[in-house]
Amino acid sequence: MATATPIKASPEQIASVRFNADGLVAAIVQEQGTGAVLMMAWMTPETLQMTLTEGRTVFWSRSRREVWRKGDTSGDRQFVREAYVDCDGDTLLFVVEQEGRGACHTGARTCFFQAFGPPAAEPGASS
Amino acid sequence: MATATPIKASPEQIASVRFNADGLVAAIVQEQGTGAVLMMAWMTPETLQMTLTEGRTVFWSRSRREVWRKGDTSGDRQFVREAYVDCDGDTLLFVVEQEGRGACHTGARTCFFQAFGPPAAEPGASS
Protein backbone atom coordinates (compact mmCIF):
# COMPACT_ATOMS: atom_id res chain seq x y z
CA MET A 1 0.00 0.00 0.00
CA ALA A 2 1.54 3.29 -1.07
CA THR A 3 1.80 6.05 1.50
CA ALA A 4 1.87 9.80 0.95
CA THR A 5 5.02 11.65 1.97
CA PRO A 6 4.87 15.45 2.09
CA ILE A 7 7.67 17.43 0.44
CA LYS A 8 8.95 20.31 2.56
CA ALA A 9 9.62 22.98 -0.03
CA SER A 10 11.24 26.23 1.05
CA PRO A 11 9.54 29.60 0.45
CA GLU A 12 12.35 30.39 -2.04
CA GLN A 13 11.62 27.18 -3.99
CA ILE A 14 7.91 27.99 -4.12
CA ALA A 15 8.65 31.56 -5.18
CA SER A 16 10.81 30.35 -8.08
CA VAL A 17 7.73 28.96 -9.87
CA ARG A 18 6.41 31.22 -12.62
CA PHE A 19 2.71 30.92 -13.36
CA ASN A 20 1.41 31.93 -16.79
CA ALA A 21 -1.16 34.62 -17.64
CA ASP A 22 -3.93 32.20 -16.63
CA GLY A 23 -2.27 31.59 -13.26
CA LEU A 24 -1.20 28.06 -14.24
CA VAL A 25 2.04 26.12 -14.48
CA ALA A 26 2.58 22.97 -16.55
CA ALA A 27 3.23 19.80 -14.54
CA ILE A 28 4.76 16.69 -16.13
CA VAL A 29 4.22 13.41 -14.29
CA GLN A 30 6.77 10.62 -14.63
CA GLU A 31 6.55 7.13 -13.15
CA GLN A 32 9.19 6.19 -10.62
CA GLY A 33 11.20 3.16 -11.59
CA THR A 34 10.06 2.77 -15.19
CA GLY A 35 10.72 6.42 -16.07
CA ALA A 36 7.60 6.43 -18.26
CA VAL A 37 6.12 9.87 -18.87
CA LEU A 38 2.51 9.39 -17.75
CA MET A 39 0.75 12.70 -18.36
CA MET A 40 0.93 16.46 -18.38
CA ALA A 41 -1.56 18.69 -16.59
CA TRP A 42 -1.76 22.12 -14.97
CA MET A 43 -1.45 23.45 -11.44
CA THR A 44 -2.43 26.67 -9.70
CA PRO A 45 -0.40 28.04 -6.77
CA GLU A 46 -3.01 26.42 -4.52
CA THR A 47 -2.89 22.95 -6.10
CA LEU A 48 0.93 23.01 -6.20
CA GLN A 49 0.91 23.68 -2.47
CA MET A 50 -1.64 20.89 -1.94
CA THR A 51 0.50 18.51 -4.01
CA LEU A 52 3.58 19.19 -1.89
CA THR A 53 1.72 19.15 1.43
CA GLU A 54 -0.39 16.08 0.73
CA GLY A 55 2.27 14.17 -1.20
CA ARG A 56 -0.26 13.41 -3.94
CA THR A 57 -0.71 15.16 -7.26
CA VAL A 58 -3.48 17.76 -7.28
CA PHE A 59 -4.17 19.60 -10.54
CA TRP A 60 -6.42 22.35 -11.85
CA SER A 61 -8.94 21.04 -14.37
CA ARG A 62 -9.16 23.68 -17.08
CA SER A 63 -12.26 22.08 -18.62
CA ARG A 64 -14.17 21.69 -15.36
CA ARG A 65 -12.60 24.77 -13.75
CA GLU A 66 -12.08 23.01 -10.44
CA VAL A 67 -9.46 21.44 -8.21
CA TRP A 68 -8.75 17.92 -9.43
CA ARG A 69 -7.18 15.63 -6.85
CA LYS A 70 -5.89 12.86 -9.10
CA GLY A 71 -7.44 9.51 -8.23
CA ASP A 72 -10.22 10.71 -5.93
CA THR A 73 -12.77 9.47 -8.49
CA SER A 74 -10.79 6.81 -10.39
CA GLY A 75 -8.79 5.44 -7.49
CA ASP A 76 -5.65 5.82 -9.58
CA ARG A 77 -3.77 8.08 -7.18
CA GLN A 78 -0.25 9.41 -7.72
CA PHE A 79 2.09 9.52 -4.71
CA VAL A 80 4.84 12.08 -5.18
CA ARG A 81 8.39 10.82 -4.60
CA GLU A 82 10.40 13.65 -6.20
CA ALA A 83 9.47 17.13 -7.42
CA TYR A 84 11.43 19.50 -9.64
CA VAL A 85 11.09 22.95 -11.20
CA ASP A 86 12.86 23.65 -14.47
CA CYS A 87 15.60 26.18 -15.21
CA ASP A 88 13.25 29.05 -16.01
CA GLY A 89 10.58 28.15 -13.48
CA ASP A 90 7.66 27.57 -15.84
CA THR A 91 7.44 23.77 -15.87
CA LEU A 92 7.28 21.26 -13.02
CA LEU A 93 8.23 17.58 -12.98
CA PHE A 94 6.78 15.12 -10.49
CA VAL A 95 8.17 11.60 -10.15
CA VAL A 96 5.37 9.48 -8.72
CA GLU A 97 4.33 6.07 -7.59
CA GLN A 98 1.27 5.44 -9.76
CA GLU A 99 -1.53 3.52 -8.12
CA GLY A 100 -4.13 1.39 -9.90
CA ARG A 101 -4.40 0.93 -13.65
CA GLY A 102 -2.47 3.99 -14.66
CA ALA A 103 -2.63 7.70 -15.30
CA CYS A 104 -4.90 7.93 -18.34
CA HIS A 105 -8.67 8.29 -18.21
CA THR A 106 -8.82 5.83 -21.15
CA GLY A 107 -7.47 3.09 -18.90
CA ALA A 108 -4.01 3.19 -20.46
CA ARG A 109 -0.96 3.32 -18.18
CA THR A 110 0.31 6.50 -19.88
CA CYS A 111 -1.57 9.19 -21.78
CA PHE A 112 1.16 9.01 -24.47
CA PHE A 113 0.07 5.77 -26.10
CA GLN A 114 -0.41 7.10 -29.64
CA ALA A 115 2.82 7.09 -31.62
CA PHE A 116 3.49 9.12 -34.76
CA GLY A 117 4.56 7.03 -37.72
CA PRO A 118 3.64 3.55 -38.87
CA PRO A 119 2.66 1.13 -36.08
CA ALA A 120 5.80 -0.56 -34.80
CA ALA A 121 7.27 0.43 -31.46
CA GLU A 122 5.70 -0.56 -28.19
CA PRO A 123 3.83 2.51 -26.93
CA GLY A 124 4.51 3.97 -23.50
CA ALA A 125 7.79 3.77 -21.65
CA SER A 126 11.00 4.71 -23.37
CA SER A 127 13.47 2.02 -24.29
CA MET B 1 27.77 10.26 -34.70
CA ALA B 2 24.00 10.47 -34.39
CA THR B 3 21.95 10.54 -37.56
CA ALA B 4 18.53 12.06 -38.12
CA THR B 5 15.70 9.71 -39.05
CA PRO B 6 12.45 11.27 -40.30
CA ILE B 7 9.17 10.05 -38.81
CA LYS B 8 6.49 9.39 -41.42
CA ALA B 9 3.35 10.59 -39.65
CA SER B 10 -0.02 10.09 -41.31
CA PRO B 11 -2.33 13.05 -42.05
CA GLU B 12 -4.72 11.62 -39.42
CA GLN B 13 -1.96 11.60 -36.81
CA ILE B 14 -1.04 15.20 -37.60
CA ALA B 15 -4.70 16.22 -37.52
CA SER B 16 -5.12 14.72 -34.04
CA VAL B 17 -2.89 17.41 -32.53
CA ARG B 18 -4.77 20.25 -30.86
CA PHE B 19 -3.02 23.60 -30.76
CA ASN B 20 -3.97 26.13 -28.09
CA ALA B 21 -5.34 29.66 -28.55
CA ASP B 22 -1.80 30.87 -29.30
CA GLY B 23 -1.38 28.19 -31.97
CA LEU B 24 1.06 26.19 -29.83
CA VAL B 25 1.27 22.67 -28.43
CA ALA B 26 3.40 21.60 -25.46
CA ALA B 27 6.26 19.23 -26.29
CA ILE B 28 8.01 17.18 -23.61
CA VAL B 29 11.47 15.86 -24.47
CA GLN B 30 12.73 12.65 -22.87
CA GLU B 31 16.16 11.09 -23.27
CA GLN B 32 16.28 7.67 -24.88
CA GLY B 33 17.89 5.04 -22.71
CA THR B 34 18.05 6.95 -19.43
CA GLY B 35 14.40 8.01 -19.55
CA ALA B 36 15.36 11.38 -18.08
CA VAL B 37 12.89 14.18 -18.79
CA LEU B 38 15.12 16.82 -20.37
CA MET B 39 12.90 19.82 -21.09
CA MET B 40 9.50 21.11 -22.14
CA ALA B 41 9.00 23.62 -24.94
CA TRP B 42 6.38 24.63 -27.50
CA MET B 43 5.72 23.82 -31.15
CA THR B 44 3.68 25.41 -33.90
CA PRO B 45 2.11 23.30 -36.68
CA GLU B 46 5.12 24.31 -38.79
CA THR B 47 7.81 23.33 -36.27
CA LEU B 48 6.03 20.04 -35.48
CA GLN B 49 6.15 19.20 -39.18
CA MET B 50 9.82 20.24 -39.34
CA THR B 51 10.58 18.05 -36.31
CA LEU B 52 9.01 14.99 -37.91
CA THR B 53 10.48 15.64 -41.36
CA GLU B 54 14.00 16.52 -40.20
CA GLY B 55 14.14 14.03 -37.33
CA ARG B 56 15.41 16.76 -35.01
CA THR B 57 13.44 18.80 -32.49
CA VAL B 58 12.39 22.22 -33.75
CA PHE B 59 10.47 24.49 -31.37
CA TRP B 60 8.84 27.88 -31.36
CA SER B 61 10.63 30.34 -29.10
CA ARG B 62 7.90 32.33 -27.36
CA SER B 63 10.39 34.88 -26.01
CA ARG B 64 12.20 35.47 -29.31
CA ARG B 65 9.10 34.79 -31.43
CA GLU B 66 11.01 32.70 -33.92
CA VAL B 67 11.65 29.15 -35.07
CA TRP B 68 14.20 27.53 -32.77
CA ARG B 69 15.99 24.52 -34.22
CA LYS B 70 17.42 23.01 -31.06
CA GLY B 71 21.21 22.82 -31.17
CA ASP B 72 21.82 25.04 -34.20
CA THR B 73 23.56 27.55 -31.91
CA SER B 74 24.65 25.37 -28.98
CA GLY B 75 25.51 22.23 -30.93
CA ASP B 76 23.38 20.24 -28.50
CA ARG B 77 21.01 18.75 -31.07
CA GLN B 78 18.19 16.33 -30.30
CA PHE B 79 17.62 13.43 -32.71
CA VAL B 80 14.06 12.14 -32.51
CA ARG B 81 13.71 8.38 -32.02
CA GLU B 82 10.03 8.17 -30.98
CA ALA B 83 7.16 10.67 -31.03
CA TYR B 84 3.80 10.49 -29.27
CA VAL B 85 0.65 12.56 -28.90
CA ASP B 86 -1.35 12.24 -25.70
CA CYS B 87 -4.94 11.02 -25.24
CA ASP B 88 -6.56 14.42 -25.77
CA GLY B 89 -4.10 15.67 -28.38
CA ASP B 90 -2.75 18.70 -26.54
CA THR B 91 0.67 17.45 -25.43
CA LEU B 92 3.47 15.79 -27.39
CA LEU B 93 6.29 13.55 -26.18
CA PHE B 94 9.55 13.16 -28.06
CA VAL B 95 12.08 10.49 -27.10
CA VAL B 96 15.44 11.72 -28.33
CA GLU B 97 19.11 11.01 -28.58
CA GLN B 98 20.62 14.07 -26.92
CA GLU B 99 23.85 15.33 -28.42
CA GLY B 100 26.54 17.31 -26.62
CA ARG B 101 26.36 18.48 -23.02
CA GLY B 102 22.63 18.25 -22.62
CA ALA B 103 19.33 19.99 -23.14
CA CYS B 104 19.57 22.95 -20.78
CA HIS B 105 20.97 26.36 -21.70
CA THR B 106 22.63 26.40 -18.24
CA GLY B 107 24.86 23.52 -19.29
CA ALA B 108 22.95 20.98 -17.22
CA ARG B 109 21.90 17.70 -18.82
CA THR B 110 18.23 18.29 -17.94
CA CYS B 111 16.34 21.51 -17.29
CA PHE B 112 14.80 19.85 -14.21
CA PHE B 113 17.83 20.05 -11.93
CA GLN B 114 16.23 22.02 -9.10
CA ALA B 115 14.42 19.75 -6.62
CA PHE B 116 11.76 20.86 -4.16
CA GLY B 117 12.55 19.99 -0.58
CA PRO B 118 15.81 19.80 1.36
CA PRO B 119 18.88 18.91 -0.72
CA ALA B 120 19.22 15.15 -0.78
CA ALA B 121 18.32 13.19 -3.89
CA GLU B 122 20.45 13.23 -6.99
CA PRO B 123 18.81 15.72 -9.37
CA GLY B 124 17.81 14.76 -12.87
CA ALA B 125 16.87 11.29 -13.99
CA SER B 126 14.37 9.24 -12.06
CA SER B 127 15.58 6.30 -10.01
Side-chain angles (χ1 to χ4, degrees):
Chain A
M1 183 94 184
T3 52
T5 308
I7 290 183
K8 293 188 206 315
S10 69
E12 292 73 22
Q13 289 168 349
I14 299 289
S16 72
V17 180
R18 289 168 48 210
F19 295 86
N20 69 15
D22 295 325
L24 302 173
V25 64
I28 301 167
V29 182
Q30 182 179 33
E31 188 173 43
Q32 189 182 42
T34 68
V37 177
L38 298 175
M39 59 182 287
M40 202 274 272
W42 297 86
M43 290 183 180
T44 59
E46 179 194 9
T47 65
L48 168 58
Q49 192 58 64
M50 293 167 76
T51 296
L52 296 170
T53 304
E54 300 182 15
R56 280 179 53 192
T57 55
V58 186
F59 304 104
W60 176 255
S61 169
R62 295 178 301 169
S63 55
R64 297 194 305 272
R65 304 197 61 76
E66 64 181 21
V67 171
W68 163 32
R69 185 179 283 98
K70 178 74 180 166
D72 271 359
T73 305
S74 65
D76 302 334
R77 298 176 293 182
Q78 295 175 334
F79 296 92
V80 178
R81 300 304 177 218
E82 301 167 37
Y84 299 92
V85 57
D86 78 344
C87 54
D88 61 358
D90 69 357
T91 309
L92 307 177
L93 172 65
F94 294 93
V95 178
V96 306
E97 188 172 336
Q98 173 69 56
E99 192 180 53
R101 301 172 306 168
C104 189
H105 73 285
T106 63
R109 185 107 195 123
T110 165
C111 294
F112 298 94
F113 59 86
Q114 303 169 103
F116 288 97
E122 185 89 339
S126 160
S127 55
Chain B
M1 182 97 184
T3 53
T5 308
I7 291 183
K8 294 188 205 315
S10 69
E12 292 74 20
Q13 288 168 348
I14 298 289
S16 72
V17 179
R18 289 167 49 210
F19 295 86
N20 69 14
D22 295 323
L24 302 173
V25 64
I28 301 167
V29 182
Q30 182 179 33
E31 188 173 42
Q32 190 182 41
T34 67
V37 176
L38 298 176
M39 58 180 287
M40 202 274 270
W42 297 86
M43 290 184 180
T44 59
E46 179 194 10
T47 65
L48 169 57
Q49 192 58 65
M50 293 167 77
T51 296
L52 295 170
T53 304
E54 301 182 14
R56 279 180 53 192
T57 55
V58 186
F59 304 104
W60 176 256
S61 169
R62 295 179 299 170
S63 55
R64 297 193 305 272
R65 302 197 61 78
E66 64 181 21
V67 171
W68 164 32
R69 185 179 284 99
K70 177 74 180 165
D72 270 1
T73 304
S74 65
D76 302 334
R77 298 177 293 182
Q78 296 176 334
F79 296 92
V80 178
R81 300 304 177 219
E82 301 166 38
Y84 300 91
V85 57
D86 78 344
C87 53
D88 60 358
D90 68 358
T91 309
L92 308 177
L93 172 65
F94 294 92
V95 178
V96 306
E97 188 172 338
Q98 173 70 56
E99 192 181 52
R101 299 172 307 167
C104 189
H105 72 286
T106 63
R109 186 105 196 125
T110 165
C111 294
F112 298 95
F113 59 86
Q114 303 169 104
F116 287 98
E122 186 87 341
S126 158
S127 56

